[in-house]
Amino acid sequence: MPLGLGRRKKAPPLVENEEAEPGRGGLGVGEPGPLGGGGAGGPQMGLPPPPPALRPRLVFHTQLAHGSPTGRIEGFTNVKELYGKIAEAFRLPAAEVMFCTLNTHKVDMDKLLGGQIGLEDFIFAHIKGQRKEVEVFKSEEALGLTITDNGAGYAFIKRIKEGSVIDHIQLISVGDMIEAINGQSLLGCRHYEVARLLKELPRGRTFTLKLTEPRKAFDMIGVRSGGGRPGSGPQLGTGRGTLRLRSRGPATVEDVPSAFEEKAIEKVDDLLESYMGIRDTELAATMVELGKDKRNPDELAEALDERLGDFAFPDEFVFDVWGAIGDAKVGRF
């Protein structure tokens, strides 16, 4: 439907962390689909895939961010399964894993694990620490929070704007998981749902946040960060390639994103923060992938509705995404 001619039809609910389909166990690199094709590319003719014994075996090293021995994990195809493998390695309940960072044990939002892991990246898992309950007086419409989620049902604070309402409350920090607002549980909610609830809270009223902070190592205690730097861009790994964790279908090994893709993803992620109060490099990467070969904004809008209908992106946002992808294509950085 052309932009501006009415409410666009929503796609079926977005499943962010669907379990691997039957017969697609392990990392899924080169796994055949139901008709023998590659995982994301549909049916393909030609030679059959190699037997499992000859497929690449991808093993990643991991530690708990607050300190632990090094563990080895493999055989996951999405973020939820990754957390499960980490929990098995350290004999923890999977629900204890809040989020992961790449190549640093610190709560560094520039190094947050999203949908891609460099093949040589080291994974640090941040688990639940102290729980806290904070009363906040909403003196302004904007609280100054940017929300993201871990891809497995936990939404947390990715950035706090300097000088904002939340910035003046020292008990609230980047990395805190938002468990509940005014007693309403948010476990299982996506980042955009939490951002919407915070935005809809009435100005001039007090509300209560129930938070859980990541467990800290000794050298992290007392450090309060404002989060990732605006415009710092997604961190997609430093290895020879990346393992992309998909919400549907098996994980795939891909080349490191091109300069165009990195810049376009950064621009779209900035637009997500500006319009929706969230940051999500994997969502931004999906939007760039959907839009890079579209001929006009209407085609992009239809593609977004079909794949990401639950977000109900406004027309103005779609136009800006189209423009950001176009600017990146021609090198207008």
Side-chain angles (χ1 to χ4, degrees):
M1 177 183 293
L3 292 173
L5 296 183
R7 187 179 181 87
R8 298 196 295 273
K9 183 180 179 181
K10 278 189 167 187
L14 176 68
V15 180
E16 184 64 16
N17 286 291
E18 197 168 85
E19 294 296 331
E21 298 177 21
R24 293 191 181 186
L27 282 167
V29 179
E31 290 280 1
L35 299 178
Q44 295 180 0
M45 302 300 291
L47 295 175
L54 296 180
R55 295 176 195 166
R57 181 186 176 205
L58 302 182
V59 179
F60 294 87
H61 291 86
T62 183
Q63 288 182 358
L64 299 181
H66 65 275
S68 75
T70 299
R72 291 160 59 90
I73 54 174
E74 61 181 308
F76 54 90
T77 190
N78 58 39
V79 174
K80 189 173 183 180
E81 290 180 4
L82 166 62
Y83 292 165
K85 293 293 183 180
I86 291 172
E88 287 177 14
F90 296 108
R91 299 181 180 178
L92 296 168
E96 287 295 300
V97 182
M98 291 177 59
F99 57 86
C100 295
T101 49
L102 300 177
N103 307 313
T104 179
H105 70 286
K106 297 181 179 180
V107 181
D108 184 345
M109 294 294 105
D110 287 337
K111 302 295 178 66
L112 189 68
L113 186 152
Q116 299 195 41
I117 308 172
L119 299 184
E120 297 175 3
D121 281 344
F122 197 106
I123 302 171
F124 288 89
H126 299 255
I127 66 172
K128 292 180 180 177
Q130 182 178 345
R131 301 180 76 179
K132 50 196 178 184
E133 195 166 290
V134 185
E135 288 193 346
V136 180
F137 179 72
K138 190 175 183 181
S139 57
E140 301 177 19
E141 287 295 335
L143 291 168
L145 286 177
T146 298
I147 309 298
T148 191
D149 62 42
N150 70 349
Y154 294 163
F156 57 94
I157 298 170
K158 185 166 186 178
R159 182 176 294 157
I160 297 173
K161 185 178 180 181
E162 186 175 355
S164 65
V165 172
I166 297 298
D167 189 41
H168 291 102
I169 304 175
Q170 292 298 309
L171 280 175
I172 302 177
S173 299
V174 166
D176 286 353
M177 180 179 74
I178 304 176
E179 286 196 29
I181 299 175
N182 288 335
Q184 178 184 347
S185 175
L186 300 178
L187 300 182
C189 290
R190 293 299 317 278
H191 43 30
Y192 68 93
E193 296 173 306
V194 176
R196 185 185 302 149
L197 285 172
L198 290 168
K199 185 177 181 180
E200 291 174 351
L201 291 169
R203 183 176 179 178
R205 302 277 187 88
T206 297
F207 65 94
T208 302
L209 285 176
K210 182 182 284 187
L211 307 167
T212 298
E213 66 182 35
R215 185 171 174 182
K216 294 180 173 64
F218 179 77
D219 66 340
M220 298 162 63
I221 295 174
V223 176
R224 184 179 192 259
S225 169
R229 302 180 305 278
S232 58
Q235 302 295 317
L236 300 179
T238 57
R240 293 159 288 133
T242 63
L243 177 70
R244 183 165 184 183
L245 305 176
R246 298 182 182 275
S247 59
R248 304 180 184 189
T252 55
V253 175
E254 301 180 353
D255 292 333
V256 174
S258 65
F260 148 68
E261 290 170 326
E262 285 193 346
K263 195 60 189 178
I265 290 168
E266 178 185 333
K267 283 174 165 284
V268 173
D269 204 20
D270 288 344
L271 288 171
L272 285 169
E273 182 173 26
S274 175
Y275 276 88
M276 303 178 67
I278 65 174
R279 290 194 79 89
D280 186 334
T281 54
E282 176 58 16
L283 175 60
T286 299
M287 296 175 74
V288 171
E289 185 177 305
L290 291 172
K292 64 185 180 182
D293 61 348
K294 298 299 182 287
R295 294 171 295 181
N296 54 59
D298 288 333
E299 288 188 2
L300 173 60
E302 290 175 4
L304 293 176
D305 281 346
E306 182 178 350
R307 181 82 170 269
L308 302 170
D310 265 15
F311 287 89
F313 297 121
D315 290 347
E316 297 83 358
F317 173 76
V318 175
F319 273 117
D320 283 349
V321 169
W322 169 254
I325 294 173
D327 286 348
K329 278 184 179 179
V330 298
R332 287 198 294 265
F333 295 162

